C-alpha cells in the first residue's frame, strides 16, 4: 500500500502465492516486470513470521544488489526490526563488518564479496531459511557457479530457494533440478 501497488504483474500473481507457502520457485519474466517484489514480499513475510530465520539474496552485480537493497529496505518499517546488510565488492569492508556485527537477518550480496566474508568468518549463514538467486542467467553467464556452490555449503539443507531470471537457458534448468524441491 505504501508503495502504491494495486494490481500484481503476471509474474507476481504466479510467483508470490507459492513463495508465501514456502515452496521453491523458478520464475522467469522480462526485466522490469516486478520480480524483486515477488521474492521480496515472500522474504519479508518469512522474516516477520519466523523470528529465527534469515534470508540471503545473491545477485551478479553491485548495482543490482544496491537496487534490491533499496527496494526491500523501502518495504521494511522500523517497527519490523529487520536489519539488513549489503555485501558488495568496491565498498568499504569496515562498513560491511559494522553491518554484520548488528546481526542482520536479511543479507544481499554478490558472490565474490559473500565468499570473502565467509572466509573471514564475519558472515554466518547457518540460520538462512530463505535463499534467492536473482538474475540467475547472468550469475551463470558471468562464471559464478563455483562461488555459488561454495556459498551454498554454508546454508542449511532445509531452506526455501527461489531462482529468478529473464531467460531460461539449459544451464538454469540444470541448476533448478539440482537445487529446487518440486
Amino acid at each position: 500500500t505504501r508503495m502504491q501497488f494495486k494490481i500484481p504483474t503476471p509474474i507476481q500473481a504466479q510467483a508470490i502465492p507459492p513463495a508465501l507457502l514456502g515452496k521453491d520457485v523458478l520464475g522467469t519474466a522480462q526485466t522490469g516486470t516486478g520480480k524483486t517484489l515477488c521474492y521480496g514480499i515472500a522474504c519479508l513475510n518469512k522474516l516477520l513470521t519466523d523470528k529465527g530465520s534469515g534470508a540471503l539474496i545473491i545477485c551478479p552485480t553491485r548495482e543490482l544488489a544496491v537496487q534490491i537493497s533499496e527496494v526491500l529496505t523501502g518495504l521494511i518499517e522500523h517497527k519490523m526490526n529487520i536489519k539488513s546488510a549489503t555485501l558488495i565488492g568496491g565498498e568499504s569492508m569496515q562498513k560491511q563488518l559494522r553491518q554484520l556485527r548488528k546481526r542482520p537477518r536479511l543479507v544481499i550480496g554478490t558472490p565474490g564479496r559473500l565468499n570473502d566474508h565467509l572466509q573471514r568468518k564475519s558472515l554466518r549463514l547457518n540460520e538462512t531459511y530463505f535463499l534467492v538467486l536473482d538474475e540467475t542467467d547472468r550469475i551463470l553467464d558471468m562464471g559464478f557457479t563455483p562461488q555459488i556452490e561454495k556459498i551454498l555449503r554454508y546454508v542449511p539443507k532445509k531452506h526455501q530457494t527461489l531462482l529468478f531470471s529473464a531467460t531460461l537457458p539449459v544451464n538454469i534448468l540444470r541448476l533448478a533440478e539440482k537445487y529446487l524441491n518440486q
Side-chain angles (χ1 to χ4, degrees):
T1 303
R2 197 166 12 116
M3 296 181 85
Q4 299 172 358
F5 289 107
K6 293 182 177 26
I7 299 170
T9 64
I11 186 71
Q12 291 168 344
Q14 291 179 332
I16 292 172
L20 287 171
L21 293 173
K23 296 183 183 282
D24 287 0
V25 173
L26 171 59
T28 184
Q30 293 173 303
T31 302
T33 53
K35 294 185 294 288
T36 303
L37 279 182
C38 288
Y39 60 77
I41 288 169
C43 172
L44 295 178
N45 183 69
K46 179 64 181 173
L47 295 176
L48 288 170
T49 57
D50 181 356
K51 303 289 186 202
S53 70
L56 174 63
I57 300 170
I58 305 172
C59 39
T61 66
R62 296 183 316 217
E63 296 78 15
L64 181 60
V66 169
Q67 179 184 337
I68 292 167
S69 179
E70 288 171 356
V71 169
L72 296 188
T73 55
L75 293 173
I76 298 171
E77 293 180 7
H78 183 70
K79 66 183 176 190
M80 292 178 178
N81 198 26
I82 298 173
K83 293 178 184 73
S84 67
T86 304
L87 308 178
I88 56 177
E91 289 287 321
S92 161
M93 185 62 81
Q94 293 308 313
K95 175 184 170 189
Q96 292 176 15
L97 291 170
R98 280 193 301 278
Q99 288 178 356
L100 290 170
R101 279 194 285 274
K102 293 179 182 174
R103 301 184 54 132
R105 293 178 49 223
L106 172 60
V107 174
I108 302 159
T110 53
R113 187 52 64 101
L114 290 168
N115 274 304
D116 288 347
H117 282 287
L118 288 167
Q119 286 175 341
R120 289 173 174 257
K121 298 190 182 344
S122 53
L123 174 63
R124 290 197 171 75
L125 299 175
N126 57 317
E127 293 177 349
T128 300
Y129 175 81
F130 199 90
L131 173 69
V132 176
L133 273 71
D134 195 8
E135 293 198 5
T136 309
D137 49 354
R138 292 197 52 213
I139 287 174
L140 298 176
D141 288 345
M142 294 170 77
F144 287 128
T145 304
Q147 291 180 324
I148 297 296
E149 296 203 348
K150 276 185 193 174
I151 293 165
L152 294 182
R153 288 185 203 133
Y154 292 88
V155 174
K157 289 268 185 257
K158 186 175 174 6
H159 67 271
Q160 179 181 4
T161 304
L162 292 88
L163 304 179
F164 282 90
S165 183
T167 63
L168 274 184
V170 174
N171 55 353
I172 288 184
L173 297 176
R174 275 193 229 111
L175 190 74
E177 286 175 10
K178 186 173 180 179
Y179 291 113
L180 298 183
N181 295 311
Q182 300 179 359

